[in-house]
Amino acid sequence: MTTLKHLALIGDSTIDNIVWVPSYQQCVAHYLTTLNPDYSITNLAADGFTSGDVLKGQAPQISYKARRDAGDEFPGMEHGCKVFYPLQKIKELEAVDAVVLSVGGNDVREILGDMCMLPQRVSEFWENYPKIIEELSKITPNIIIILQYRPCYIKDGIYGVYAAMDAVNHMVGGHFKDVDILHALMEEIYPPVLALARQHNIPILDLPRTFDIHNADLYECQIEPSESGGQLIAEMVTHILNEHDFDGQSRFYFKGDEEIESEQNTDDVWRVDATADFTPNLYLKQLI
């Protein structure tokens, strides 16, 4: 009998999107199971979790019931525990061969109504992320980092992400487009994560360059992966599992119009849109 390899998922609703699709059969975890028959998959991701929640534990209030009803209950919580500790639970698993980590979007999502807290949240994210990577590296060197996709542009009336970017624009005294502010924010927040990936030879699923913000079919409620979005995420993770050399250097993986592309993660400046105005980044450096 063939022994299945073991894949663990840790993070947020990018990989725990069951609440946002019609059924478990249409969520990211199920698509990963279907696409990777050689793997058993343990879903330790929790919708709504921030980097601090992943590090220190939190109650998985958003997806708890949907996961339980689907037979994919949070490990350890079937005994009545109210707080879920993903980093503790992954240490209790047997022989984890690879880990997918997606976290950070909720660190900003929680302050969309008060972007004056942005410097504090970015500082906390920069402090938490290396600690998460350090703990995961003790379990397996085969880690896949997912960068947060950009929210849907044409559904901004739901969470107001781009309205919040306008607020940041006013904070830095600029006159830029909301999308350019979002790009600049990502390009300022992620360099320490990219440096960690280079240090540990970790592949990166570059969703900012994969999700089309004008394609509403990829999203639910502006910021959640729909069934189509989840399929795309699962497809990309599967490609990295099958094609990436985990003994080699860190690489970006992203998908344009047709093919999945890959490029080495160097210390060159990472851009969401290489054609966009770089000036907002200079303003944001003064803020965060």
Side-chain angles (χ1 to χ4, degrees):
M1 181 177 179
T2 303
T3 301
L4 295 177
K5 291 178 283 188
H6 195 175
L7 174 67
L9 313 179
I10 283 190
D12 52 30
S13 62
T14 298
I15 42 181
D16 179 34
N17 68 327
I18 188 172
V19 171
W20 308 102
V21 293
S23 71
Y24 176 76
Q25 285 69 31
Q26 295 157 299
C27 73
V28 173
H30 179 74
Y31 281 124
L32 282 171
T33 300
T34 302
L35 291 172
N36 298 277
D38 293 336
Y39 282 88
S40 65
I41 295 176
T42 301
N43 190 1
L44 302 175
D47 191 347
F49 267 31
T50 64
S51 61
D53 297 334
V54 169
L55 191 64
K56 302 173 184 178
Q58 183 58 270
Q61 297 177 344
I62 298 175
S63 59
Y64 174 80
K65 183 178 185 301
R67 291 271 299 270
R68 183 193 62 193
D69 292 348
D72 184 29
E73 191 160 9
F74 288 94
M77 299 200 70
E78 60 271 13
H79 304 300
C81 179
K82 295 183 179 180
V83 177
F84 181 59
Y85 301 93
L87 292 182
Q88 175 182 318
K89 289 303 173 185
I90 195 172
K91 294 174 184 177
E92 298 172 2
L93 300 178
E94 293 185 10
V96 175
D97 297 288
V99 177
V100 177
L101 172 65
S102 171
V103 71
N106 289 310
D107 293 57
V108 175
R109 190 262 308 163
E110 288 188 340
I111 62 164
L112 287 174
D114 185 8
M115 293 302 284
C116 291
M117 294 181 63
L118 182 62
Q120 176 186 339
R121 280 304 177 99
V122 172
S123 177
E124 291 170 353
F125 174 75
W126 284 343
E127 181 180 352
N128 293 337
Y129 207 95
K131 294 177 182 178
I132 296 171
I133 292 294
E134 180 182 1
E135 292 303 310
L136 296 180
S137 296
K138 295 175 183 177
I139 296 165
T140 176
N142 303 325
I143 301 169
I144 297 173
I145 286 174
I146 298 181
L147 303 185
Q148 180 64 51
Y149 47 78
R150 299 170 296 162
C152 182
Y153 191 76
I154 59 179
K155 293 184 176 181
D156 201 47
I158 299 175
Y159 273 91
V161 175
Y162 293 96
M165 295 305 105
D166 277 333
V168 175
N169 190 19
H170 291 301
M171 289 165 60
V172 299
H175 306 283
F176 306 107
K177 297 178 181 178
D178 45 15
V179 173
D180 289 341
I181 290 291
L182 177 65
H183 292 174
L185 182 59
M186 287 182 155
E187 290 162 3
E188 290 304 309
I189 289 176
Y190 275 134
V193 173
L194 306 184
L196 272 173
R198 289 193 295 272
Q199 178 185 344
H200 294 275
N201 299 321
I202 297 173
I204 300 163
L205 172 43
D206 189 343
L207 289 184
R209 289 194 284 173
T210 298
F211 269 44
D212 178 357
I213 62 174
H214 300 289
N215 181 0
D217 289 341
L218 296 174
Y219 303 87
E220 290 292 340
C221 294
Q222 187 183 23
I223 64 171
E224 310 295 348
S226 66
E227 178 184 2
S228 296
Q231 284 180 306
L232 179 54
I233 292 167
E235 174 193 354
M236 297 293 292
V237 169
T238 299
H239 177 87
I240 296 172
L241 285 173
N242 293 332
E243 302 297 333
H244 181 72
D245 177 7
F246 284 90
D247 293 323
Q249 296 176 317
S250 173
R251 299 188 67 83
F252 293 102
Y253 292 86
F254 53 96
K255 188 173 185 179
D257 294 333
E258 298 293 338
E259 301 295 327
I260 296 176
E261 302 179 47
S262 173
E263 63 185 34
Q264 187 175 338
N265 174 19
T266 69
D267 57 6
D268 293 338
V269 175
W270 171 77
R271 302 296 309 278
V272 179
D273 180 359
T275 66
D277 183 5
F278 191 69
T279 309
N281 302 59
L282 304 179
Y283 284 82
L284 280 175
K285 284 181 185 294
Q286 303 171 26
L287 179 63
I288 63 177

